[in-house]
């Protein structure tokens, strides 16, 4: 049996449909002064978002996350490097025995613990505000 017509044909390719709950169907017009617009523009770039997305997020959630500071990025990179070192030391411990790597492992774990402790203290201070 051959079926013809468009009844059973599927649409292939293209962008997937958005769920009804997430579909943006309403528009709101808001006017800003030049100064406020520039401030908004800078903030949206810092948050690494389009301006409309930033306005939507900041309206519905006042704690819009901004791009991390340079110091935080530096600490993050340092932690990533330490994690890499830890993985390498773990591999060496499996190959050569853990007794030979006790001192460097202990030092590295101490550094990581110190950084994690500092972040926890900073997070506790921010929660208390």
């Amino acid at each position: 049996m051959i079926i013809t017509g468009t009844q059973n044909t599927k649409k292939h390719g293209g962008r997937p449909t958005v769920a009804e709950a997430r579909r943006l169907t309403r528009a709101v017009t808001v006017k800003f002064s030049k100064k406020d617009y520039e401030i908004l523009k800078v903030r949206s770039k810092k948050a690494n978002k389009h301006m409309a997305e930033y306005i939507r997020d900041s309206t519905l959630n006042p704690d819009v996350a901004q791009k991390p500071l340079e110091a935080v990025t530096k600490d993050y990179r340092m932690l990533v490097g330490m994690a890499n070192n830890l993985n390498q030391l773990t591999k060496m411990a499996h190959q050569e025995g853990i007794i030979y790597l006790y001192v460097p492992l202990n030092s590295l774990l101490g550094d990581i613990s110190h950084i994690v402790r500092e972040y926890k203290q900073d997070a506790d201070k921010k929660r208390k505000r």
Side-chain angles (χ1 to χ4, degrees), residues 5-119:
T6 58
Q7 295 174 353
N8 295 332
T9 58
K10 280 189 165 183
K11 185 178 177 183
H12 295 286
R15 188 175 184 160
T17 58
V18 178
E20 187 68 32
R22 297 199 57 175
R23 193 170 294 150
L24 305 176
T25 58
R26 302 285 186 246
V28 177
T29 304
V30 181
K31 291 191 175 195
F32 293 99
S33 67
K34 286 183 181 181
K35 180 181 175 185
D36 291 341
Y37 179 81
E38 291 302 319
I39 291 171
L40 187 63
K41 192 174 174 181
V42 168
R43 287 183 181 175
S44 67
K45 282 189 180 186
K46 280 185 181 177
N48 199 22
K49 295 184 176 194
H50 293 285
M51 194 176 298
E53 184 182 5
Y54 178 81
I55 292 170
R56 192 178 315 114
D57 289 349
S58 62
T59 302
L60 299 175
N61 178 14
D63 299 327
V64 175
Q66 294 200 358
K67 193 174 179 181
L69 299 174
E70 209 171 299
V72 174
T73 306
K74 179 183 162 198
D75 289 344
Y76 175 77
R77 285 186 185 144
M78 188 168 58
L79 274 174
V80 169
M82 287 179 176
N84 187 32
N85 291 345
L86 184 60
N87 287 336
Q88 291 173 353
L89 288 171
T90 303
K91 184 176 178 181
M92 286 176 63
H94 287 292
Q95 292 172 348
E96 299 177 19
I98 197 159
I99 197 75
Y100 299 109
L101 300 171
Y102 177 77
V103 173
L105 275 172
N106 199 25
S107 173
L108 183 60
L109 287 173
D111 292 344
I112 292 172
S113 296
H114 176 72
I115 291 173
V116 169
R117 232 178 290 117
E118 284 181 357
Y119 273 107

